[in-house]
Amino acid sequence: MSHIHLPDGVLPLWLWVSGYALAILISAILFRFRKKDFMTKRFPLLGMMAATMVLGAAVEIIPIAYHVNLTVISGILLGPSLIFLATFVVNVILALFGHGGVTVVGLNTIVLSLEGILGYLLFRLFWKIFRRLTPAAFLATFLALLVSTFAMIGTVALGTTHYEALIHHEEEGGILGFELGREKKEHLEAEPKGHEVNLRRFMTIALSLGFIGWVLEGVMTTLILKYIQRLRPDLLRLEGHSP
Amino acid sequence: MMQLSYLDYSAVEGKSWLHRLPAIVKMVGAGFSLCGVVFLENLPGLLGLYTVLLFLFVTSRVPRAIFSLTLYPLIFAFLFIFVSGFQIRFILLIFLKVLCGSTSVVLLLATTPYPAVFRVLGKVLPSLFVTALFLTYRSVFILLDTLEETRHALYLRGGFQWQHPWRSLVNIANAFGHLILKGIDASERMYESMVLRGFEGKIRYRGEKNRD
């Protein structure tokens, strides 16, 4: 639910350009301090985990329009810096198939990597507290998804004026949507109230469906991590856990 | 996602005029189309763009089965029906934007082999990013094969049954776990073979000069 599924042309230009700029800036900072050798060795694993995330996102649970992100698992296995690049790559590939617009890739990268990094950090923290995989994995996933869903809603809310402009846009207004901000605002103020974007409704839908999704993904992540712990505990690099 | 290999087959084996065009020309075309999706805000303009894309789709003789891939993103667009307060014009606008975006990209990938796309991207984007993108795209094909085997195994163990939700969830989670572990094994083998072929952090494409 935290993945922004908005198509191109819906978010305002300043918002998605800022998303790209921020994502590029974070990547530049993260990889400036990484050794080339480290990256070269981890590339195939990064590719595989990113591919798993792509496949996870392709499995849509139709009744609630939800798909698992597998970002928390990838975050745990890849670590915080590689998960950022992995989410960037995943979002580019998903955008190529219309799963979220190409212009939303930067924002999606920030939201999803926040989920992955937070998942990684929370998992380590809860492992230290509980020393048991089930509560650590479930709570880390649930909380990471909760935060990233709010980040997604916040991002979508930033573009409300633009959606309203799209709804109220008149056919005779020209082929391209270049209008001065002031004129757009005046035009919107003149419109009746009933035609506004219902952000509260969007939030209600996103949070209620999201809640089912967080629980589902929390359970899935826990079960997958338990499976990995049984067969390849070395991959989880857990402190004080003897295989 | 299962149609990805079909898409790749069409890109390599296709012989239409669009297949023969240089990758850079098609990528610039797809870029213009995406600009249209971003900036066009009226229905006739988007409808015109979609008609042009459909015309290209038909004349490039891309298999019709691939067309369903262009409709897949509509699943995510349905939320706009509620967000807009059932404004027909807005819903149509969003649906057309979705269809134009997905059709132009599917058209590009169905007529251009992916190494050619990555080769062009490698000229404008950082090698770190393009290498990660290339390996991920390659890994999707490897994982799709594993997924096919896993699906059979899952089916034999009961698969997904609504009357047994917990058991089904465990089965699906085990399948994903299996997929991840197989993927990691494959990535380790892939890294060894890449190193044997001289990989040093950057993938080089056929005909590319070594500038290091």
Side-chain angles (χ1 to χ4, degrees), chain B residues 115-176:
Chain B
V117 175
F118 287 115
R119 189 178 167 181
V120 176
L121 286 178
K123 286 176 185 166
V124 286
L125 295 172
S127 68
L128 181 85
F129 181 71
V130 179
T131 306
L133 200 61
F134 184 92
L135 288 174
T136 304
Y137 199 77
R138 177 87 193 86
S139 304
V140 169
F141 289 97
I142 297 171
L143 283 186
L144 276 176
D145 284 341
T146 314
L147 187 68
E148 201 55 35
E149 289 168 21
T150 315
R151 270 178 60 194
H152 288 301
L154 194 65
Y155 179 74
L156 290 171
R157 283 159 183 79
F160 192 89
Q161 296 169 338
W162 286 106
Q163 61 268 42
H164 303 292
W166 179 250
R167 198 170 69 193
S168 302
L169 209 59
V170 172
N171 279 344
I172 292 173
N174 284 349
F176 265 114

Short mmCIF file of all heavy atoms in Angstrom, two decimals, chain B residues 115-176:
data_model
loop_
_atom_site.label_atom_id
_atom_site.label_comp_id
_atom_site.label_asym_id
_atom_site.label_seq_id
_atom_site.Cartn_x
_atom_site.Cartn_y
_atom_site.Cartn_z
N PRO B 115 19.37 -5.71 -24.04
CA PRO B 115 20.76 -5.21 -23.98
C PRO B 115 20.94 -3.90 -24.76
O PRO B 115 21.72 -3.06 -24.37
CB PRO B 115 21.56 -6.35 -24.61
CG PRO B 115 20.71 -7.57 -24.41
CD PRO B 115 19.31 -7.07 -24.57
N ALA B 116 20.16 -3.76 -25.86
CA ALA B 116 20.26 -2.52 -26.66
C ALA B 116 19.73 -1.33 -25.86
O ALA B 116 20.30 -0.23 -25.92
CB ALA B 116 19.45 -2.69 -27.95
N VAL B 117 18.67 -1.57 -25.09
CA VAL B 117 18.10 -0.49 -24.26
C VAL B 117 19.12 -0.09 -23.19
O VAL B 117 19.39 1.10 -22.98
CB VAL B 117 16.78 -0.95 -23.59
CG1 VAL B 117 16.25 0.11 -22.64
CG2 VAL B 117 15.73 -1.27 -24.65
N PHE B 118 19.73 -1.12 -22.54
CA PHE B 118 20.67 -0.82 -21.46
C PHE B 118 21.96 -0.17 -22.00
O PHE B 118 22.59 0.62 -21.31
CB PHE B 118 21.00 -2.09 -20.67
CG PHE B 118 19.85 -2.52 -19.80
CD1 PHE B 118 19.19 -3.72 -20.02
CD2 PHE B 118 19.41 -1.72 -18.78
CE1 PHE B 118 18.11 -4.11 -19.23
CE2 PHE B 118 18.33 -2.09 -17.98
CZ PHE B 118 17.68 -3.28 -18.21
N ARG B 119 22.31 -0.52 -23.24
CA ARG B 119 23.49 0.07 -23.84
C ARG B 119 23.31 1.58 -24.01
O ARG B 119 24.21 2.36 -23.72
CB ARG B 119 23.73 -0.58 -25.21
CG ARG B 119 25.02 -0.20 -25.83
CD ARG B 119 25.19 -0.94 -27.14
NE ARG B 119 26.28 -0.36 -27.88
CZ ARG B 119 26.64 -0.79 -29.06
NH1 ARG B 119 26.00 -1.78 -29.64
NH2 ARG B 119 27.65 -0.23 -29.69
N VAL B 120 22.12 1.98 -24.46
CA VAL B 120 21.83 3.41 -24.60
C VAL B 120 21.78 4.07 -23.22
O VAL B 120 22.35 5.15 -23.02
CB VAL B 120 20.49 3.62 -25.36
CG1 VAL B 120 20.13 5.10 -25.42
CG2 VAL B 120 20.57 3.04 -26.77
N LEU B 121 21.14 3.39 -22.28
CA LEU B 121 21.04 3.95 -20.92
C LEU B 121 22.42 4.14 -20.30
O LEU B 121 22.68 5.11 -19.59
CB LEU B 121 20.20 3.04 -20.01
CG LEU B 121 18.68 3.03 -20.23
CD1 LEU B 121 18.03 2.05 -19.28
CD2 LEU B 121 18.09 4.41 -20.03
N GLY B 122 23.33 3.18 -20.59
CA GLY B 122 24.69 3.22 -20.05
C GLY B 122 25.47 4.45 -20.49
O GLY B 122 26.45 4.85 -19.84
N LYS B 123 25.03 5.07 -21.60
CA LYS B 123 25.73 6.26 -22.09
C LYS B 123 25.30 7.51 -21.34
O LYS B 123 26.00 8.51 -21.34
CB LYS B 123 25.44 6.44 -23.59
CG LYS B 123 26.19 5.44 -24.44
CD LYS B 123 25.83 5.57 -25.89
CE LYS B 123 26.51 4.46 -26.68
NZ LYS B 123 25.95 4.30 -28.02
N VAL B 124 24.10 7.47 -20.75
CA VAL B 124 23.61 8.68 -20.08
C VAL B 124 23.49 8.55 -18.56
O VAL B 124 23.46 9.55 -17.86
CB VAL B 124 22.24 9.11 -20.67
CG1 VAL B 124 22.39 9.74 -22.03
CG2 VAL B 124 21.24 7.97 -20.70
N LEU B 125 23.42 7.32 -18.07
CA LEU B 125 23.24 7.14 -16.62
C LEU B 125 24.51 6.55 -15.98
O LEU B 125 25.32 5.94 -16.69
CB LEU B 125 22.05 6.20 -16.35
CG LEU B 125 20.68 6.71 -16.77
CD1 LEU B 125 19.64 5.60 -16.61
CD2 LEU B 125 20.25 7.91 -15.95
N PRO B 126 24.70 6.69 -14.66
CA PRO B 126 25.90 6.13 -14.00
C PRO B 126 25.96 4.61 -14.17
O PRO B 126 24.91 3.94 -14.11
CB PRO B 126 25.70 6.49 -12.53
CG PRO B 126 24.64 7.50 -12.49
CD PRO B 126 23.82 7.39 -13.72
N SER B 127 27.18 4.09 -14.38
CA SER B 127 27.34 2.65 -14.65
C SER B 127 26.82 1.81 -13.47
O SER B 127 26.28 0.72 -13.67
CB SER B 127 28.79 2.32 -14.96
OG SER B 127 29.56 2.50 -13.80
N LEU B 128 26.99 2.32 -12.26
CA LEU B 128 26.53 1.61 -11.06
C LEU B 128 25.03 1.30 -11.16
O LEU B 128 24.58 0.17 -10.92
CB LEU B 128 26.78 2.52 -9.85
CG LEU B 128 26.39 2.00 -8.48
CD1 LEU B 128 27.52 1.17 -7.91
CD2 LEU B 128 26.06 3.14 -7.54
N PHE B 129 24.29 2.30 -11.57
CA PHE B 129 22.84 2.17 -11.66
C PHE B 129 22.44 1.25 -12.82
O PHE B 129 21.59 0.38 -12.67
CB PHE B 129 22.23 3.56 -11.82
CG PHE B 129 20.74 3.54 -11.91
CD1 PHE B 129 19.97 3.25 -10.79
CD2 PHE B 129 20.09 3.78 -13.11
CE1 PHE B 129 18.60 3.22 -10.86
CE2 PHE B 129 18.72 3.75 -13.18
CZ PHE B 129 17.97 3.47 -12.06
N VAL B 130 23.09 1.44 -13.97
CA VAL B 130 22.73 0.64 -15.16
C VAL B 130 23.09 -0.83 -14.93
O VAL B 130 22.33 -1.72 -15.32
CB VAL B 130 23.41 1.20 -16.44
CG1 VAL B 130 23.06 0.37 -17.66
CG2 VAL B 130 22.98 2.63 -16.66
N THR B 131 24.23 -1.09 -14.27
CA THR B 131 24.61 -2.48 -13.98
C THR B 131 23.58 -3.13 -13.06
O THR B 131 23.16 -4.27 -13.29
CB THR B 131 26.02 -2.53 -13.33
OG1 THR B 131 26.92 -1.84 -14.16
CG2 THR B 131 26.50 -3.94 -13.11
N ALA B 132 23.16 -2.39 -12.03
CA ALA B 132 22.15 -2.92 -11.10
C ALA B 132 20.84 -3.19 -11.85
O ALA B 132 20.20 -4.22 -11.64
CB ALA B 132 21.92 -1.94 -9.96
N LEU B 133 20.49 -2.28 -12.74
CA LEU B 133 19.25 -2.41 -13.52
C LEU B 133 19.33 -3.64 -14.44
O LEU B 133 18.40 -4.45 -14.53
CB LEU B 133 19.05 -1.14 -14.35
CG LEU B 133 17.68 -0.82 -14.87
CD1 LEU B 133 16.69 -0.64 -13.74
CD2 LEU B 133 17.71 0.47 -15.70
N PHE B 134 20.47 -3.80 -15.10
CA PHE B 134 20.68 -4.92 -16.02
C PHE B 134 20.60 -6.25 -15.26
O PHE B 134 19.91 -7.18 -15.69
CB PHE B 134 22.04 -4.77 -16.71
CG PHE B 134 22.31 -5.83 -17.75
CD1 PHE B 134 21.97 -5.61 -19.08
CD2 PHE B 134 22.89 -7.04 -17.42
CE1 PHE B 134 22.20 -6.57 -20.05
CE2 PHE B 134 23.12 -8.02 -18.37
CZ PHE B 134 22.78 -7.78 -19.70
N LEU B 135 21.31 -6.32 -14.13
CA LEU B 135 21.33 -7.58 -13.36
C LEU B 135 19.95 -7.92 -12.80
O LEU B 135 19.57 -9.09 -12.73
CB LEU B 135 22.36 -7.50 -12.23
CG LEU B 135 23.82 -7.54 -12.69
CD1 LEU B 135 24.75 -7.31 -11.52
CD2 LEU B 135 24.15 -8.88 -13.35
N THR B 136 19.21 -6.89 -12.41
CA THR B 136 17.86 -7.14 -11.90
C THR B 136 16.97 -7.68 -13.01
O THR B 136 16.24 -8.67 -12.81
CB THR B 136 17.25 -5.84 -11.32
OG1 THR B 136 18.13 -5.34 -10.34
CG2 THR B 136 15.88 -6.08 -10.72
N TYR B 137 17.04 -7.04 -14.16
CA TYR B 137 16.20 -7.48 -15.29
C TYR B 137 16.55 -8.93 -15.68
O TYR B 137 15.67 -9.74 -15.92
CB TYR B 137 16.42 -6.53 -16.48
CG TYR B 137 15.31 -6.60 -17.51
CD1 TYR B 137 14.09 -5.98 -17.28
CD2 TYR B 137 15.47 -7.29 -18.70
CE1 TYR B 137 13.07 -6.04 -18.20
CE2 TYR B 137 14.46 -7.36 -19.63
CZ TYR B 137 13.26 -6.73 -19.38
OH TYR B 137 12.25 -6.80 -20.30
N ARG B 138 17.85 -9.22 -15.67
CA ARG B 138 18.32 -10.58 -15.99
C ARG B 138 17.82 -11.56 -14.92
O ARG B 138 17.38 -12.66 -15.23
CB ARG B 138 19.87 -10.54 -16.03
CG ARG B 138 20.55 -11.83 -16.28
CD ARG B 138 20.71 -12.14 -17.75
NE ARG B 138 21.11 -13.53 -17.93
CZ ARG B 138 20.25 -14.54 -18.01
NH1 ARG B 138 18.97 -14.32 -17.91
NH2 ARG B 138 20.68 -15.77 -18.20
N SER B 139 17.91 -11.13 -13.66
CA SER B 139 17.52 -12.00 -12.55
C SER B 139 16.02 -12.31 -12.57
O SER B 139 15.61 -13.38 -12.11
CB SER B 139 17.87 -11.35 -11.21
OG SER B 139 19.22 -11.04 -11.16
N VAL B 140 15.22 -11.40 -13.10
CA VAL B 140 13.78 -11.64 -13.17
C VAL B 140 13.51 -12.91 -14.01
O VAL B 140 12.71 -13.75 -13.63
CB VAL B 140 13.03 -10.42 -13.75
CG1 VAL B 140 11.58 -10.77 -14.07
CG2 VAL B 140 13.05 -9.26 -12.77
N PHE B 141 14.27 -13.05 -15.11
CA PHE B 141 14.09 -14.24 -15.96
C PHE B 141 14.50 -15.51 -15.22
O PHE B 141 13.83 -16.53 -15.32
CB PHE B 141 14.91 -14.10 -17.25
CG PHE B 141 14.34 -13.07 -18.19
CD1 PHE B 141 14.84 -11.78 -18.20
CD2 PHE B 141 13.29 -13.37 -19.03
CE1 PHE B 141 14.30 -10.82 -19.04
CE2 PHE B 141 12.74 -12.42 -19.87
CZ PHE B 141 13.26 -11.13 -19.88
N ILE B 142 15.62 -15.44 -14.48
CA ILE B 142 16.09 -16.60 -13.71
C ILE B 142 15.04 -16.98 -12.67
O ILE B 142 14.67 -18.15 -12.51
CB ILE B 142 17.45 -16.30 -13.04
CG1 ILE B 142 18.52 -16.03 -14.10
CG2 ILE B 142 17.89 -17.45 -12.12
CD1 ILE B 142 19.84 -15.51 -13.56
N LEU B 143 14.53 -15.96 -11.97
CA LEU B 143 13.55 -16.23 -10.91
C LEU B 143 12.21 -16.72 -11.49
O LEU B 143 11.51 -17.49 -10.84
CB LEU B 143 13.33 -14.98 -10.07
CG LEU B 143 14.42 -14.66 -9.05
CD1 LEU B 143 14.00 -13.48 -8.19
CD2 LEU B 143 14.74 -15.83 -8.14
N LEU B 144 11.88 -16.26 -12.68
CA LEU B 144 10.62 -16.72 -13.29
C LEU B 144 10.64 -18.22 -13.54
O LEU B 144 9.64 -18.91 -13.35
CB LEU B 144 10.35 -15.98 -14.60
CG LEU B 144 9.67 -14.61 -14.47
CD1 LEU B 144 9.56 -13.93 -15.83
CD2 LEU B 144 8.29 -14.71 -13.84
N ASP B 145 11.83 -18.73 -13.95
CA ASP B 145 11.98 -20.18 -14.14
C ASP B 145 11.79 -20.91 -12.81
O ASP B 145 11.08 -21.90 -12.72
CB ASP B 145 13.38 -20.50 -14.71
CG ASP B 145 13.46 -20.16 -16.18
OD1 ASP B 145 12.39 -20.03 -16.81
OD2 ASP B 145 14.58 -20.00 -16.69
N THR B 146 12.45 -20.38 -11.77
CA THR B 146 12.34 -20.99 -10.43
C THR B 146 10.90 -20.92 -9.94
O THR B 146 10.39 -21.87 -9.34
CB THR B 146 13.27 -20.26 -9.43
OG1 THR B 146 14.52 -20.07 -10.03
CG2 THR B 146 13.43 -21.02 -8.14
N LEU B 147 10.26 -19.78 -10.22
CA LEU B 147 8.87 -19.59 -9.77
C LEU B 147 7.94 -20.63 -10.40
O LEU B 147 7.03 -21.14 -9.76
CB LEU B 147 8.41 -18.17 -10.13
CG LEU B 147 7.06 -17.74 -9.60
CD1 LEU B 147 7.09 -17.60 -8.09
CD2 LEU B 147 6.64 -16.40 -10.20
N GLU B 148 8.23 -20.94 -11.67
CA GLU B 148 7.42 -21.93 -12.38
C GLU B 148 7.51 -23.30 -11.69
O GLU B 148 6.50 -23.95 -11.43
CB GLU B 148 7.90 -22.01 -13.84
CG GLU B 148 6.90 -22.59 -14.81
CD GLU B 148 5.55 -21.87 -14.80
OE1 GLU B 148 5.50 -20.65 -14.63
OE2 GLU B 148 4.54 -22.58 -14.96
N GLU B 149 8.77 -23.68 -11.34
CA GLU B 149 8.98 -24.96 -10.63
C GLU B 149 8.29 -24.90 -9.26
O GLU B 149 7.64 -25.86 -8.84
CB GLU B 149 10.48 -25.19 -10.37
CG GLU B 149 11.30 -25.52 -11.60
CD GLU B 149 12.79 -25.44 -11.28
OE1 GLU B 149 13.16 -25.53 -10.10
OE2 GLU B 149 13.58 -25.27 -12.24
N THR B 150 8.47 -23.76 -8.58
CA THR B 150 7.90 -23.62 -7.23
C THR B 150 6.38 -23.70 -7.27
O THR B 150 5.75 -24.25 -6.36
CB THR B 150 8.35 -22.27 -6.61
OG1 THR B 150 9.72 -22.11 -6.84
CG2 THR B 150 8.09 -22.22 -5.12
N ARG B 151 5.79 -23.14 -8.32
CA ARG B 151 4.33 -23.18 -8.45
C ARG B 151 3.81 -24.61 -8.53
O ARG B 151 2.79 -24.95 -7.94
CB ARG B 151 3.89 -22.40 -9.70
CG ARG B 151 3.63 -20.94 -9.41
CD ARG B 151 3.24 -20.19 -10.64
NE ARG B 151 2.02 -20.71 -11.26
CZ ARG B 151 1.63 -20.40 -12.48
NH1 ARG B 151 2.35 -19.60 -13.23
NH2 ARG B 151 0.52 -20.87 -12.98
N HIS B 152 4.56 -25.45 -9.26
CA HIS B 152 4.17 -26.86 -9.36
C HIS B 152 4.24 -27.53 -7.99
O HIS B 152 3.33 -28.24 -7.58
CB HIS B 152 5.08 -27.61 -10.35
CG HIS B 152 4.82 -27.23 -11.78
ND1 HIS B 152 3.59 -27.40 -12.37
CD2 HIS B 152 5.61 -26.68 -12.72
CE1 HIS B 152 3.65 -26.96 -13.61
NE2 HIS B 152 4.85 -26.52 -13.85
N ALA B 153 5.38 -27.25 -7.28
CA ALA B 153 5.58 -27.84 -5.95
C ALA B 153 4.47 -27.37 -5.00
O ALA B 153 3.93 -28.15 -4.21
CB ALA B 153 6.95 -27.46 -5.41
N LEU B 154 4.14 -26.08 -5.10
CA LEU B 154 3.11 -25.48 -4.25
C LEU B 154 1.75 -26.12 -4.53
O LEU B 154 0.98 -26.43 -3.61
CB LEU B 154 3.06 -23.98 -4.55
CG LEU B 154 2.31 -23.08 -3.57
CD1 LEU B 154 3.01 -23.08 -2.23
CD2 LEU B 154 2.24 -21.65 -4.10
N TYR B 155 1.49 -26.35 -5.80
CA TYR B 155 0.22 -26.95 -6.22
C TYR B 155 0.09 -28.36 -5.63
O TYR B 155 -0.96 -28.76 -5.14
CB TYR B 155 0.17 -26.99 -7.75
CG TYR B 155 -1.09 -27.61 -8.30
CD1 TYR B 155 -2.31 -26.92 -8.26
CD2 TYR B 155 -1.08 -28.88 -8.87
CE1 TYR B 155 -3.46 -27.47 -8.76
CE2 TYR B 155 -2.23 -29.46 -9.37
CZ TYR B 155 -3.42 -28.76 -9.31
OH TYR B 155 -4.57 -29.31 -9.80
N LEU B 156 1.23 -29.10 -5.65
CA LEU B 156 1.22 -30.47 -5.12
C LEU B 156 1.02 -30.49 -3.60
O LEU B 156 0.56 -31.47 -3.05
CB LEU B 156 2.53 -31.19 -5.48
CG LEU B 156 2.70 -31.53 -6.95
CD1 LEU B 156 4.11 -32.03 -7.22
CD2 LEU B 156 1.68 -32.56 -7.40
N ARG B 157 1.40 -29.38 -2.94
CA ARG B 157 1.25 -29.31 -1.47
C ARG B 157 -0.04 -28.60 -1.06
O ARG B 157 -0.17 -28.14 0.07
CB ARG B 157 2.46 -28.60 -0.85
CG ARG B 157 3.68 -29.47 -0.77
CD ARG B 157 4.96 -28.65 -0.65
NE ARG B 157 6.13 -29.51 -0.65
CZ ARG B 157 6.66 -30.04 -1.74
NH1 ARG B 157 6.10 -29.82 -2.92
NH2 ARG B 157 7.73 -30.80 -1.67
N GLY B 158 -0.95 -28.46 -1.98
CA GLY B 158 -2.25 -27.87 -1.64
C GLY B 158 -2.47 -26.48 -2.18
O GLY B 158 -3.61 -26.01 -2.24
N GLY B 159 -1.38 -25.77 -2.58
CA GLY B 159 -1.51 -24.45 -3.17
C GLY B 159 -2.25 -23.48 -2.27
O GLY B 159 -2.08 -23.51 -1.05
N PHE B 160 -3.08 -22.64 -2.87
CA PHE B 160 -3.85 -21.68 -2.07
C PHE B 160 -5.31 -22.10 -2.04
O PHE B 160 -5.94 -22.25 -3.07
CB PHE B 160 -3.71 -20.27 -2.66
CG PHE B 160 -4.25 -19.21 -1.74
CD1 PHE B 160 -3.43 -18.63 -0.78
CD2 PHE B 160 -5.58 -18.83 -1.79
CE1 PHE B 160 -3.92 -17.68 0.10
CE2 PHE B 160 -6.08 -17.88 -0.91
CZ PHE B 160 -5.24 -17.31 0.04
N GLN B 161 -5.82 -22.31 -0.82
CA GLN B 161 -7.23 -22.69 -0.66
C GLN B 161 -7.87 -21.74 0.36
O GLN B 161 -7.36 -21.60 1.47
CB GLN B 161 -7.34 -24.13 -0.15
CG GLN B 161 -6.79 -25.15 -1.14
CD GLN B 161 -6.66 -26.53 -0.51
OE1 GLN B 161 -6.59 -26.69 0.70
NE2 GLN B 161 -6.63 -27.54 -1.37
N TRP B 162 -8.97 -21.09 -0.04
CA TRP B 162 -9.63 -20.13 0.84
C TRP B 162 -10.12 -20.80 2.13
O TRP B 162 -10.19 -20.15 3.17
CB TRP B 162 -10.80 -19.47 0.13
CG TRP B 162 -10.34 -18.47 -0.89
CD1 TRP B 162 -10.36 -18.61 -2.24
CD2 TRP B 162 -9.77 -17.17 -0.64
NE1 TRP B 162 -9.83 -17.50 -2.86
CE2 TRP B 162 -9.46 -16.59 -1.89
CE3 TRP B 162 -9.47 -16.44 0.52
CZ2 TRP B 162 -8.90 -15.33 -2.01
CZ3 TRP B 162 -8.90 -15.19 0.40
CH2 TRP B 162 -8.63 -14.65 -0.86
N GLN B 163 -10.46 -22.11 2.05
CA GLN B 163 -10.98 -22.77 3.27
C GLN B 163 -9.87 -23.07 4.29
O GLN B 163 -10.16 -23.38 5.43
CB GLN B 163 -11.81 -24.02 2.93
CG GLN B 163 -11.08 -25.12 2.19
CD GLN B 163 -11.22 -24.99 0.68
OE1 GLN B 163 -11.14 -23.89 0.14
NE2 GLN B 163 -11.43 -26.09 -0.01
N HIS B 164 -8.60 -23.01 3.85
CA HIS B 164 -7.46 -23.22 4.77
C HIS B 164 -6.50 -22.04 4.63
O HIS B 164 -5.39 -22.18 4.10
CB HIS B 164 -6.72 -24.52 4.43
CG HIS B 164 -7.58 -25.73 4.45
ND1 HIS B 164 -8.12 -26.24 5.61
CD2 HIS B 164 -8.02 -26.54 3.45
CE1 HIS B 164 -8.85 -27.31 5.32
NE2 HIS B 164 -8.81 -27.50 4.02
N PRO B 165 -6.91 -20.85 5.11
CA PRO B 165 -6.08 -19.65 4.87
C PRO B 165 -4.69 -19.71 5.49
O PRO B 165 -3.72 -19.31 4.86
CB PRO B 165 -6.91 -18.51 5.47
CG PRO B 165 -7.92 -19.13 6.34
CD PRO B 165 -8.13 -20.52 5.84
N TRP B 166 -4.60 -20.23 6.74
CA TRP B 166 -3.29 -20.25 7.40
C TRP B 166 -2.32 -21.17 6.67
O TRP B 166 -1.18 -20.79 6.40
CB TRP B 166 -3.43 -20.65 8.88
CG TRP B 166 -2.10 -20.69 9.57
CD1 TRP B 166 -1.45 -21.78 10.02
CD2 TRP B 166 -1.24 -19.57 9.85
NE1 TRP B 166 -0.24 -21.44 10.57
CE2 TRP B 166 -0.08 -20.08 10.48
CE3 TRP B 166 -1.34 -18.20 9.62
CZ2 TRP B 166 0.96 -19.27 10.88
CZ3 TRP B 166 -0.28 -17.38 10.04
CH2 TRP B 166 0.84 -17.92 10.65
N ARG B 167 -2.80 -22.39 6.35
CA ARG B 167 -1.94 -23.34 5.64
C ARG B 167 -1.51 -22.76 4.28
O ARG B 167 -0.36 -22.91 3.86
CB ARG B 167 -2.67 -24.67 5.45
CG ARG B 167 -1.69 -25.81 5.14
CD ARG B 167 -2.36 -27.15 5.19
NE ARG B 167 -3.31 -27.30 4.09
CZ ARG B 167 -4.21 -28.27 4.00
NH1 ARG B 167 -4.32 -29.15 4.97
NH2 ARG B 167 -5.04 -28.35 2.99
N SER B 168 -2.45 -22.08 3.64
CA SER B 168 -2.15 -21.48 2.34
C SER B 168 -1.09 -20.40 2.47
O SER B 168 -0.18 -20.30 1.65
CB SER B 168 -3.41 -20.87 1.74
OG SER B 168 -4.39 -21.85 1.62
N LEU B 169 -1.22 -19.59 3.53
CA LEU B 169 -0.26 -18.51 3.76
C LEU B 169 1.14 -19.09 4.02
O LEU B 169 2.14 -18.58 3.51
CB LEU B 169 -0.73 -17.68 4.96
CG LEU B 169 -0.34 -16.22 4.99
CD1 LEU B 169 -0.85 -15.48 3.77
CD2 LEU B 169 -0.86 -15.53 6.25
N VAL B 170 1.19 -20.16 4.81
CA VAL B 170 2.48 -20.82 5.09
C VAL B 170 3.07 -21.35 3.78
O VAL B 170 4.27 -21.18 3.52
CB VAL B 170 2.30 -21.96 6.13
CG1 VAL B 170 3.58 -22.77 6.29
CG2 VAL B 170 1.88 -21.40 7.47
N ASN B 171 2.22 -21.96 2.95
CA ASN B 171 2.69 -22.49 1.66
C ASN B 171 3.28 -21.38 0.80
O ASN B 171 4.35 -21.54 0.20
CB ASN B 171 1.53 -23.14 0.90
CG ASN B 171 1.27 -24.55 1.38
OD1 ASN B 171 2.11 -25.15 2.05
ND2 ASN B 171 0.10 -25.09 1.06
N ILE B 172 2.55 -20.25 0.72
CA ILE B 172 3.01 -19.14 -0.12
C ILE B 172 4.32 -18.56 0.43
O ILE B 172 5.25 -18.27 -0.32
CB ILE B 172 1.92 -18.06 -0.26
CG1 ILE B 172 0.75 -18.61 -1.06
CG2 ILE B 172 2.46 -16.80 -0.93
CD1 ILE B 172 -0.46 -17.72 -1.12
N ALA B 173 4.37 -18.41 1.77
CA ALA B 173 5.59 -17.86 2.39
C ALA B 173 6.77 -18.80 2.15
O ALA B 173 7.88 -18.35 1.84
CB ALA B 173 5.36 -17.66 3.89
N ASN B 174 6.54 -20.11 2.27
CA ASN B 174 7.62 -21.07 1.99
C ASN B 174 8.06 -20.99 0.54
O ASN B 174 9.25 -21.10 0.24
CB ASN B 174 7.15 -22.50 2.30
CG ASN B 174 7.14 -22.77 3.80
OD1 ASN B 174 7.65 -21.97 4.59
ND2 ASN B 174 6.52 -23.87 4.21
N ALA B 175 7.09 -20.76 -0.35
CA ALA B 175 7.43 -20.65 -1.78
C ALA B 175 8.30 -19.42 -2.01
O ALA B 175 9.30 -19.48 -2.73
CB ALA B 175 6.15 -20.55 -2.61
N PHE B 176 7.94 -18.29 -1.36
CA PHE B 176 8.76 -17.08 -1.51
C PHE B 176 10.14 -17.28 -0.88
O PHE B 176 11.14 -16.83 -1.43
CB PHE B 176 8.06 -15.87 -0.87
CG PHE B 176 7.26 -15.06 -1.86
CD1 PHE B 176 5.89 -14.99 -1.79
CD2 PHE B 176 7.90 -14.36 -2.88
CE1 PHE B 176 5.15 -14.25 -2.70
CE2 PHE B 176 7.18 -13.61 -3.80
CZ PHE B 176 5.80 -13.56 -3.70
#
